Amino acid sequence: MAKLKDYYTVLGVPPRCHARIIEETYWERAHELHGVPTRKAQQRLGALNEAYETLGSPHKRVVYDRRYVESQEAEHAATNGGGFLQSLVAMLGKPFRPD
């Protein structure tokens, strides 16, 4: 599973914040970048729009949160040797054979 973009970091809000905070933060940051003619500002504005499109919709936000947690768990398992069972087997030094 590919790692998802962290839209909460893009917007600069905590994951458990209220929908109103997401909207207010988006509009503040978008207003700051709107008239700036640099390419970097336009890319940042595009990233803000993408994040708000997902987090601004209650349904899309629930789906995103679920997929983001799954991707984080998969990444954690991959970096830590594949999960609890493999860690236990490595710790015991014996192959696991369910009988």
Side-chain angles (χ1 to χ4, degrees):
M1 172 178 279
K3 183 174 178 174
L4 295 175
K5 292 182 185 178
D6 188 351
Y7 289 147
Y8 293 105
T9 302
V10 170
L11 284 174
V13 296
R16 299 272 182 212
C17 70
H18 193 274
R20 185 175 54 229
I21 300 297
I22 290 174
E23 182 177 2
E24 290 172 2
T25 303
Y26 165 74
W27 284 109
E28 287 174 13
R29 301 211 196 280
H31 180 71
E32 292 169 2
L33 294 171
H34 181 66
V36 181
T38 65
R39 185 177 308 219
K40 188 173 183 178
Q42 295 306 313
Q43 290 173 345
R44 176 91 171 108
L45 186 58
L48 283 171
N49 288 334
E50 182 181 347
Y52 182 67
E53 183 179 318
T54 299
L55 299 180
S57 164
H59 175 71
K60 288 181 181 180
R61 184 176 178 186
V62 168
V63 172
Y64 169 80
D65 287 342
R66 191 173 304 135
R67 288 183 58 214
Y68 186 75
V69 167
E70 288 173 359
S71 74
Q72 292 296 319
E73 289 173 352
E75 180 182 328
H76 181 72
T79 58
N80 289 335
F84 176 73
L85 186 56
Q86 279 85 8
S87 300
L88 184 61
V89 168
M91 201 166 58
L92 296 174
K94 299 177 185 177
F96 178 72
R97 288 185 289 196
D99 294 326

